[in-house]
Amino acid sequence: MTYDAEATRQRIFEAATAEFARHGLAGARIDRIATAAKANKQAIYLYFGGKEKLFGQVVRAKVDEICHAVDLDPRTLPEAVGQLFDWYHEHPELIRLLLWEALEVDGGRVEGEEERKEGYRGHVDGLVAAGVPGRAAAQDWLFTILGLVAWNFSVPQLRRLILDEPDPERAIARRREVVVELARALAERAAPAPHP
């Protein structure tokens, strides 16, 4: 049986995603990642360069995944926000990873920061091209949309307490409807005025 380096990398990456989402950067353990991935610790250092770099690569990959899954165009914003909402609901690990990153990096630079900024710049450029008036407005618009969706999954205890909905899936469906409607209002506000 031959050694499959790519399969090993993928197993490490999946195990690391689960470990970091559960325990954060400080609480994650390389030995648990290695055990879950059926790999040795040396492979993790060889392929990823250590725990901090692996954490950064995991966060970046999950952010890239969502960035490529949804196109936030003001002309189709309600549908795109619905897709984004569904994606976050189906991939709760991204919110946990971002929250851990916020807690543990504490205002410092994040791994792959320039590349991640470049990805967001691309979304901002797309929003400007689609009619959002100016870069600053597009940046604020993007940040607001992401927050509007992500907050629903960042604090599930507040969602439960405030909505007082005993069925978590009904609460999520209710929040999705509200978020999509808010996105519709934002899209209407951002739509360029027709020329006379």
Side-chain angles (χ1 to χ4, degrees), residues 61-112:
K62 294 311 274 184
V63 169
D64 284 351
E65 197 176 315
I66 184 58
C67 285
H68 297 304
V70 177
D71 181 28
L72 293 175
D73 184 324
R75 296 166 291 211
T76 58
L77 185 67
E79 296 81 11
V81 165
Q83 290 172 344
L84 186 63
F85 193 98
D86 295 342
W87 194 95
Y88 274 105
H89 184 47
E90 294 164 12
H91 299 89
E93 68 278 2
L94 177 59
I95 290 294
R96 293 184 59 88
L97 290 165
L98 290 172
L99 291 171
W100 281 117
E101 182 181 61
L103 290 168
E104 297 190 54
V105 172
D106 195 26
R109 294 180 63 78
V110 298
E111 182 73 29

Side-chain angles (χ1 to χ4, degrees), residues 8-18 48 54 57-58 61:
T8 301
R9 283 177 58 88
Q10 188 59 37
R11 287 194 317 273
I12 291 169
F13 196 82
E14 288 169 7
T17 300
F48 297 100
L54 177 55
Q57 290 177 39
V58 164

Side-chain angles (χ1 to χ4, degrees), residues 110-191:
V110 298
E111 182 73 29
E113 184 160 328
E114 285 309 311
E115 294 85 0
R116 285 169 66 183
K117 277 185 180 180
E118 197 56 40
Y120 290 119
R121 284 185 194 114
H123 282 292
V124 168
D125 292 343
L127 290 170
V128 171
V132 175
R135 280 196 78 68
Q139 290 165 330
D140 288 336
W141 205 75
L142 178 60
F143 193 76
T144 299
I145 292 296
L146 292 177
L148 185 62
V149 172
W151 187 248
N152 291 282
F153 305 101
S154 301
V155 287
Q157 75 282 18
L158 283 182
R159 185 181 66 227
R160 185 180 67 248
L161 294 169
I162 292 171
L163 299 185
D164 196 24
E165 174 63 65
D167 180 356
E169 288 304 313
R170 282 180 46 149
I172 287 290
R174 178 175 158 191
R175 287 301 307 149
R176 186 185 191 280
E177 286 178 24
V178 169
V179 168
V180 168
E181 274 311 304
L182 288 169
R184 190 176 320 284
L186 280 172
E188 289 168 5
R189 184 168 180 240

